[in-house]
Amino acid sequence: MSNKYKFHNPEGIYFVTLTVVEWIDVFTRILYKDIFYDAINHCQENKDLDVYAYCIMTNHIHMIISSRGNPLSNIMRDLKRHTSEKIKLEIISHPKESRRDWMIEIMKREGIQNSNNDKFQFWKQDSHPIELVSTSILQQKLSYIHNNPVAAGFVLEPTFWKDSSAAFYEKEEVNTKIKLKNIFG
């Protein structure tokens, strides 16, 4: 793996992207998004994770994060492992999941092709952490995250996307799904 995409500064603030293998639109179901929200909340309460911004799209998630002590690489590893296992079980057991066989087959194929896994892979391997070392880079990434649903054609305004921190920053609305820290103080 490239040395470029690693959590080098333990006190840094990072932009990360978690992408579902083959860009499968898993997060069209609230159940699967709720698993991710629960995992983030657990990491915030028990693993020192701070979340400043996020956007859950249908097949990937963008976040701006930092840590209060626990290495971010460990937090992300645990977050991805837990959500992968939990979402896999829900896909398999969901009585109305019409895409079950297709999704599981792709995830099994991806797992077999990856030497770090043996049977199953939900997330792409890397989260491409980019340290936000200046205010201009931070603002650019924050804008990118919040405008992602607009660029995809899902909504006309960033604040219309409910699985995002856009309303927290633009309308000062408190988000109840993830406890956010304001990046600007």
Side-chain angles (χ1 to χ4, degrees), residues 14-52:
Y14 287 85
F15 168 82
V16 294
T17 301
L18 287 72
T19 307
V20 179
V21 294
E22 297 285 322
W23 295 87
I24 299 171
D25 290 320
V26 172
F27 297 112
T28 56
R29 294 204 189 276
I30 293 171
L31 172 65
Y32 306 143
K33 286 187 276 191
D34 285 346
I35 290 170
F36 187 79
Y37 282 126
D38 290 345
I40 287 291
N41 288 320
H42 175 80
C43 289
Q44 288 178 303
E45 293 170 13
N46 300 291
K47 295 183 179 277
D48 300 329
L49 179 67
D50 284 330
V51 179
Y52 301 94

Side-chain angles (χ1 to χ4, degrees), residues 7 9-15 52 64-67 72 130-133 138 183:
F7 296 103
N9 178 2
E11 297 173 2
I13 296 174
Y14 287 85
F15 168 82
Y52 301 94
I64 295 177
I65 60 173
S66 70
S67 173
L72 277 171
I130 298 171
E131 187 175 5
L132 306 178
V133 295
L138 187 138
I183 196 82

Side-chain angles (χ1 to χ4, degrees), residues 49-65:
L49 179 67
D50 284 330
V51 179
Y52 301 94
Y54 75 96
C55 182
I56 300 177
M57 297 295 287
T58 60
N59 51 27
H60 66 285
I61 298 168
H62 296 296
M63 294 187 297
I64 295 177
I65 60 173

Side-chain angles (χ1 to χ4, degrees), residues 111-143:
I112 290 168
Q113 293 174 5
N114 185 335
S115 62
N116 294 327
N117 296 329
D118 58 355
K119 297 178 186 152
F120 182 84
Q121 184 169 342
F122 180 81
W123 298 108
K124 288 189 177 188
Q125 204 61 35
D126 195 11
S127 58
H128 277 41
I130 298 171
E131 187 175 5
L132 306 178
V133 295
S134 71
T135 303
S136 64
I137 294 171
L138 187 138
Q139 288 176 329
Q140 186 269 334
K141 293 300 183 189
L142 187 65
S143 177

